[in-house]
Amino acid sequence: MAALKHKPVNLIFYVYNLIIIFSTHSSTAELRRLLQPAKPDGTVSFLVIGDWGRRGSYNQSRVAFQMGEIGDKLDIDFVISTGDNFYDNGLNSLHDPLFQDSFINIYTTPSLQKPWYSVLGNHDYRGDVRAQLSPMLRALDNRWVCMRSFIVNAEIVDFLFVDTTPFVDKYFIQPNKHVYDWSGVLPRQTYLNNLLKEVDVALRESVAKWKIVIGHHTIKSAGHHGNTIELEKHLLPILQANEVDLYVNGHDHCLEHISSVDSNIQFMTSGGGSKAWKGGDVNYLEPKEQMKFYYDGQGFMSVHVSEAELRVVFYDVFGHVLHHWKTYKEALYFAS
């Protein structure tokens, strides 16, 4: 532990004003709500990275450096991790050096010393899940905020983080040689039913201008894993009914943007935090789906949100802009 870098605990907590509270609505009592203040001008900026924790290898350190550069230019408020935070098998305990070697020692630039809101991926479920979820990790690095499913209220935008791994049948039916830690998830169907209800209620009750949902697994993807049929069946209808703006995921080790004629939801994949499948197979999309952008390499994405505009930019390992997209909503003005 002596090798751990000392973190400015008071600065982190007071400057970023991360306040953890429980929902006042009994229907969503299981989902924790975090308050993330917007900037004085009302805007929110953040980075999204996924599938990263490899002790700096597979260009993880290079991606981290560029994240720091872009994070500084954008004056980001926080970072979102889309899961598969620690390879290959999550953390094995609270004392696993992988937390220091793959997180603390890698994302060291000043602009990345902000809250990291993180979900679990399937590789994380192969380790000690409770260790990765434990608040004790925040004693080592208080940027780390990881829960199964939770809400972040950032004034003009609500973020809903969804635990997607328990939806996927093959992890239960055909786990192969892998051992998954399902503590806290079983009985599975009860867990999923409750989660879907909580997600639906949270989205319906949201009064934010923008709604962004984050999960590890894809809903729509042309990458190696392709679409996740269980999420298409169970989660997607809830997102469509509640007019979600973005679904952001990892799992496929690429950068990707897909739209669909079924709704205005934009499907964004940011899973290029380290090892990528460059040259891998690309799955065909359905005719109703439109590929806006696909890059089978390492990188990350940034998002800037104002009351009237949401802007997404994808970057490669050199910090080059690969793709940018923006959408608008009518601003609300009140007579004085």
Side-chain angles (χ1 to χ4, degrees):
M1 294 298 177
L4 290 175
K5 296 182 178 180
H6 296 289
K7 296 293 180 180
V9 177
N10 291 337
L11 181 64
I12 295 287
F13 278 116
Y14 287 105
V15 172
Y16 305 123
N17 193 25
L18 180 62
I19 306 169
I20 300 179
I21 63 174
F22 286 96
S23 170
T24 57
H25 302 284
S26 59
S27 56
T28 58
E30 296 301 317
L31 293 184
R32 276 189 173 179
R33 292 181 182 266
L34 314 183
L35 302 184
Q36 171 64 56
K39 293 183 176 67
D41 65 358
T43 64
V44 176
S45 298
F46 58 96
L47 302 181
V48 184
I49 186 73
D51 305 82
W52 43 269
R54 298 181 186 271
R55 291 188 166 93
S57 63
Y58 294 99
N59 282 335
Q60 183 193 358
S61 293
R62 295 181 67 177
V63 174
F65 175 79
Q66 294 300 337
M67 288 174 64
E69 295 290 293
I70 300 301
D72 181 59
K73 292 178 182 177
L74 299 180
D75 187 22
I76 61 168
D77 301 292
F78 54 90
V79 178
I80 286 176
S81 170
T82 58
D84 277 2
N85 306 312
F86 302 101
Y87 283 95
D88 279 324
N89 298 304
L91 298 179
N92 60 36
S93 73
L94 284 170
H95 309 291
D96 192 332
L98 195 57
F99 185 72
Q100 179 177 346
D101 296 342
S102 292
F103 178 61
I104 296 175
N105 292 353
I106 302 298
Y107 303 100
T108 57
T109 55
S111 69
L112 301 182
Q113 307 310 302
K114 308 288 176 71
W116 280 59
Y117 299 118
S118 308
V119 291
L120 298 171
N122 53 296
H123 282 268
D124 300 310
Y125 262 98
R126 297 177 189 173
D128 183 345
V129 169
R130 294 188 186 276
Q132 196 169 154
L133 298 174
S134 173
M136 292 184 66
L137 288 184
R138 290 199 287 277
L140 304 179
D141 192 315
N142 50 27
R143 294 176 293 173
W144 187 250
V145 182
C146 184
M147 287 174 269
R148 295 185 193 271
S149 300
F150 60 105
I151 302 164
V152 174
N153 300 124
E155 300 181 22
I156 59 171
V157 54
D158 275 349
F159 300 88
L160 184 52
F161 294 76
V162 180
D163 183 20
T164 60
T165 301
F167 283 92
V168 182
D169 292 335
K170 70 177 181 180
Y171 302 140
F172 294 85
I173 299 171
Q174 296 178 315
N176 297 323
K177 66 180 184 296
H178 304 301
V179 177
Y180 293 90
D181 177 7
W182 298 124
S183 58
V185 169
L186 302 177
R188 180 191 177 203
Q189 199 56 54
T190 299
Y191 178 83
L192 295 179
N193 288 343
N194 289 340
L195 177 55
L196 289 170
K197 291 177 183 177
E198 291 158 5
V199 168
D200 185 36
V201 171
L203 289 173
R204 280 193 284 112
E205 294 182 348
S206 172
V207 295
K209 190 70 174 288
W210 304 91
K211 300 177 187 178
I212 299 176
V213 175
I214 299 96
H216 175 65
H217 290 78
T218 63
I219 292 182
K220 305 288 186 183
S221 176
H224 176 79
H225 290 298
N227 296 0
T228 303
I229 57 174
E230 295 91 345
L231 296 184
E232 285 187 295
K233 179 179 179 181
H234 299 291
L235 182 60
L236 181 56
I238 294 174
L239 307 191
Q240 291 171 331
N242 288 286
E243 299 181 323
V244 165
D245 298 288
L246 300 184
Y247 177 76
V248 182
N249 61 271
H251 197 47
D252 268 338
H253 295 186
C254 62
L255 305 175
E256 184 176 29
H257 174 195
I258 293 174
S259 64
S260 174
V261 298
D262 288 344
S263 70
N264 291 324
I265 301 173
Q266 304 297 310
F267 301 91
M268 306 286 184
T269 297
S270 184
S274 58
K275 187 177 182 180
W277 293 312
K278 195 162 184 65
D281 295 335
V282 177
N283 292 301
Y284 290 103
L285 297 173
E286 297 179 16
K288 65 181 179 181
E289 299 164 355
Q290 182 180 1
M291 174 65 71
K292 300 283 190 178
F293 163 73
Y294 184 87
Y295 177 70
D296 197 8
Q298 291 113 340
F300 59 99
M301 62 182 272
S302 71
V303 183
H304 177 79
V305 188
S306 67
E307 185 180 359
E309 179 184 280
L310 186 151
R311 183 168 66 248
V312 175
V313 182
F314 287 91
Y315 307 86
D316 67 10
V317 70
F318 303 106
H320 299 149
V321 173
L322 300 172
H323 173 69
H324 58 87
W325 174 86
K326 58 185 174 181
T327 187
Y328 302 93
K329 286 189 179 181
E330 183 179 356
L332 298 178
Y333 297 97
F334 300 93
S336 57

